[in-house]
Amino acid sequence: MAGMGSRSALVPDAVETSADTVVLASDVHKRFGRLQVLKGVDLEVRRGEVVCVVGPSGSGKSTFLRCINHLEKIDSGWIEVNGHLIGYRERQDGKLVEDSEKSIARQRAEIGIVFQRFNLFPHKTALENVIEAPIKVRGTPKREAIAGAEALLDRVGLAEKRDVYPGKLSGGQQQRVAIARALAMNPSLMLFDEATSALDPEMIGEVLDVMKVLAREGMTMIVVTHEMGFAREAADRVAMMDEGRIVEEATPSRFFDTPQEERSKRFLSKILK
Amino acid sequence: MLAAVDWHVVSERLFHPDHVFLRALLTTVYIAITAQILGVVLGLVAALMRMSHIAPLRWLSGFYVLIFRGTPLLVQIFFIYYGVDLLFGFNVIPVSLNFGIFRLDGAVVAGILALGLNEGAYMREIIRAGIDAIDKGQMEAARSLGMRHGLAMRRIILPQAARVIVPPLGNEFNAMIKNTSLVFTIGVYEMFSDAEIHYSTTFKPVEFFGAVAVWYLLLTTVWTMIQTLIERKLAASERGEELSLRERLTEAVTPWQAWARGAR
């Protein structure tokens, strides 16, 4: 982390953080080779908030989301979840160094992520997918884990599919199992990385419905999506990303009805034809 | 020309093998099995070392493959049997290993060691390819659930990689059965030694070498049939049939269980 300076020096005095802040990202930079994907992203998400991140493809939405649970290493800036720095720790001299595997794993256990391509474990049944991490990571007794998993599968409407392998489930069903799997760890934050983009149109609804219920129940969510209908209905805030930066942040009604930035207007005119 | 063949000897060797031969057959089979198991274990360790973030482990893994794939198996067998004790200055290869009533000759131990070490170098590449074949999203999903690398490997990646590894592993074992004949050179009494000794006392090469060739063919054919069965079961799983890998492997080894399942 050569380019990363002291965190205290980076925090502007004006940033107000409260105990309610779940995610706080500041000046996040990320480069893939010579391609600068993130050019200073700032975002704060409070407990119970649903933030939809929208924007053209290649704008860095997914990369930013993946940085939040350290699936991607960041080049500079910092990200905190629940007041703890993600992926890095501060050395005595104030420099940031990559954290140990153990504490990165512990932090990730608190953050659920749902992927575009589901990534269910194909050699395990729906139920086994859901109980795997609670048992192996948390050490939850098996009987307890199964009871919890059955309740979660019921919540996503798949109680009767508990013993079915992912290969025999539709895309929408697989994604709902993936949501249940993430929820089984009782995360304080859920990340959705274009969770409906790989689905056939008739299955998008069933996954979005599960996400809406989660949002209503007060789950803190960051949702990278192309579903503007979902953003308008379920989001507390919409963040528009373009070329590695968040260019506009507003409530859904303000963002969709009276976008302020030229790039937001252009993006919306293309997508809402 | 065929009149010169002593058909009586051939049929005796094939249909009425003496107990000395049967012991030799058994020796061939257990050398092949134990050397293959050793090869799989070494291959797995070397494959994991190759992916380590600790550079010396990666180098060691590379050096191992370089040596054992780059030199003749026969040289390795001789080097290990005659050379290793002198190299290290103490008896690495025991004179004999005793397991109760079962006793392993030092030459057998050296043979298993050499064949296993050689096999491990090839298995490393097969296991690595199996692991590489698993979608990167699987590791990401496992890590994002809070699993550490080792746990994710053991619970998520390796069980899936096993499916990819099984077919080439079967081919390796086929080759292993035949390669065991090389340990005759260090004095192990296995199937080929038995044929060679009979030949040297009778000068009937066609009869004895021909008969032992049929025996090798029998072993590899039986193995190929078992392998086909296992692969068919694995292919069924690719189609999403609702069996766990463990169930599928048990089924492949014990076909009557599949029948019982069908009856359920």
Side-chain angles (χ1 to χ4, degrees):
Chain A
M1 297 308 304
M4 198 178 272
S6 150
R7 178 163 54 118
S8 34
L10 281 168
V11 184
D13 295 332
V15 174
E16 291 171 39
T17 65
S18 72
D20 264 358
T21 301
V22 177
V23 180
L24 188 61
S26 173
D27 200 31
V28 174
H29 284 74
K30 170 71 187 175
R31 211 178 39 207
F32 290 117
R34 293 164 79 182
L35 183 69
Q36 190 77 41
V37 183
L38 300 179
K39 300 173 184 167
V41 178
D42 301 280
L43 185 72
E44 184 181 353
V45 180
R46 285 158 188 276
R47 197 162 308 286
E49 248 190 329
V50 177
V51 175
C52 280
V53 182
V54 302
S57 19
S59 58
K61 313 182 291 288
S62 287
T63 305
F64 175 61
L65 197 77
R66 291 162 56 81
C67 289
I68 297 174
N69 74 348
H70 201 57
L71 282 178
E72 304 289 353
K73 296 177 185 181
I74 60 177
D75 296 324
S76 67
W78 47 268
I79 301 172
E80 276 182 11
V81 174
N82 295 324
H84 298 287
L85 214 51
I86 287 294
Y88 301 91
R89 62 190 163 76
E90 207 166 355
R91 254 184 1 204
Q92 296 272 309
D93 58 5
K95 284 261 171 61
L96 296 183
V97 291
E98 191 165 19
D99 217 338
S100 70
E101 193 201 0
K102 192 173 169 184
S103 61
I104 291 172
R106 200 182 305 126
Q107 288 175 322
R108 282 184 180 139
E110 309 292 328
I111 305 170
I113 183 164
V114 176
F115 299 94
Q116 182 176 349
R117 295 191 48 245
F118 332 135
N119 295 344
L120 286 182
F121 307 134
H123 59 305
K124 294 183 180 295
T125 63
L127 185 84
E128 287 167 350
N129 264 277
V130 180
I131 61 174
E132 178 69 19
I135 292 176
K136 293 293 166 183
V137 176
R138 287 268 159 77
T140 311
K142 190 167 184 189
R143 185 174 310 194
E144 204 177 299
I146 290 175
E150 281 172 338
L152 282 169
L153 287 174
D154 191 41
R155 256 176 85 186
V156 299
L158 292 171
E160 79 283 8
K161 300 286 185 189
R162 54 166 278 173
D163 295 322
V164 177
Y165 283 86
K168 286 271 171 126
L169 293 172
S170 72
Q173 291 170 334
Q174 288 190 53
Q175 194 61 300
R176 285 187 282 155
V177 173
I179 293 172
R181 178 176 71 176
L183 291 174
M185 294 297 279
N186 282 319
S188 56
L189 167 69
M190 283 286 284
L191 309 174
F192 291 85
D193 186 5
E194 302 198 17
T196 56
S197 298
L199 295 174
D200 291 338
E202 73 269 24
M203 292 169 185
I204 291 175
E206 65 188 58
V207 173
L208 291 181
D209 286 345
V210 170
M211 291 165 65
K212 283 175 199 162
V213 171
L214 262 185
R216 271 202 297 276
E217 287 173 353
M219 175 62 77
T220 311
M221 294 161 61
I222 302 179
V223 183
V224 168
T225 187
H226 292 295
E227 295 295 326
M228 295 304 143
F230 175 84
R232 189 187 270 273
E233 188 183 335
D236 296 306
R237 203 147 35 101
V238 176
M240 162 80 195
M241 268 187 88
D242 192 30
E243 293 180 353
R245 286 191 187 86
I246 291 178
V247 293
E248 182 166 358
E249 255 184 270
T251 60
S253 55
R254 283 197 53 170
F255 178 77
F256 289 110
D257 301 333
T258 54
Q260 302 298 304
E261 293 292 320
E262 201 48 48
R263 278 184 286 187
S264 306
K265 288 177 193 165
R266 237 184 301 136
F267 173 70
L268 286 171
S269 72
K270 269 183 203 157
I271 210 161
L272 299 174
K273 264 188 287 219
Chain B
M1 200 168 69
L2 284 176
V5 176
D6 188 343
W7 289 105
H8 177 71
V9 170
V10 174
S11 93
E12 280 295 304
R13 297 310 292 168
L14 290 181
F15 302 114
H16 306 285
D18 55 21
H19 76 277
V20 178
F21 176 80
L22 290 176
R23 273 197 78 93
L25 174 83
L26 186 69
T27 306
T28 291
V29 171
Y30 76 61
I31 288 178
I33 292 174
T34 46
Q36 188 65 48
I37 292 171
L38 180 63
V40 171
V41 171
L42 288 172
L44 181 60
V45 171
L48 294 174
M49 279 166 65
R50 187 189 167 274
M51 295 185 299
S52 166
H53 57 270
I54 303 162
L57 290 181
R58 290 199 302 272
W59 299 335
L60 191 63
S61 176
F63 183 70
Y64 167 58
V65 170
L66 180 76
I67 297 300
F68 282 91
R69 282 209 315 190
T71 59
L73 178 52
L74 192 57
V75 174
Q76 292 165 24
I77 291 170
F78 271 63
F79 187 87
I80 286 170
Y81 185 55
Y82 296 108
V84 161
D85 286 357
L86 292 174
L87 185 68
F88 288 98
F90 68 96
N91 284 357
V92 180
I93 312 291
V95 179
S96 73
L97 273 181
N98 294 302
F99 304 99
I101 51 164
F102 199 68
R103 190 176 150 277
L104 275 190
D105 192 59
V108 174
V109 176
I112 290 170
L113 208 57
L115 288 166
L117 278 164
N118 181 266
E119 181 58 25
Y122 289 90
M123 281 311 300
R124 185 196 85 156
E125 294 304 293
I126 290 170
I127 291 169
R128 183 189 61 78
I131 291 171
D132 283 353
I134 306 307
D135 188 84
K136 296 286 163 280
Q138 290 291 311
M139 183 52 103
E140 283 191 350
R143 306 290 305 255
S144 69
L145 287 165
M147 291 192 190
R148 293 172 69 175
H149 186 265
L151 182 66
M153 263 292 157
R154 205 165 67 242
R155 299 283 307 174
I156 307 302
I157 306 300
L158 290 178
Q160 293 183 58
R163 285 186 208 182
V164 188
I165 292 167
V166 163
L169 172 63
N171 296 340
E172 286 296 305
F173 186 60
N174 194 308
M176 176 64 82
I177 292 171
K178 295 173 285 182
N179 283 344
T180 53
S181 58
L182 289 171
V183 299
F184 119 89
T185 54
I186 54 171
V188 176
Y189 199 92
E190 43 69 67
M191 283 208 310
F192 182 69
S193 320
D194 184 80
E196 206 277 334
I197 283 166
H198 281 94
Y199 154 72
S200 61
T201 51
T202 59
F203 296 103
K204 291 181 191 289
V206 176
E207 290 80 352
F208 287 103
F209 293 138
V212 80
V214 172
W215 278 102
Y216 278 111
L217 194 60
L218 185 75
L219 287 184
T220 54
T221 306
V222 167
W223 170 248
T224 303
M225 284 160 64
I226 296 172
Q227 191 189 347
T228 310
L229 211 61
I230 294 174
E231 280 174 26
R232 200 182 307 150
K233 294 294 175 191
L234 287 173
S237 80
E238 296 288 297
R239 297 193 296 268
E241 285 171 21
E242 294 163 18
L243 291 178
S244 74
L245 181 73
R246 193 191 305 137
E247 283 171 315
R248 270 177 256 119
L249 286 176
T250 337
E251 256 194 23
V253 185
T254 54
W256 55 89
Q257 288 201 350
W259 179 80
R261 193 190 311 282
R264 189 174 64 186

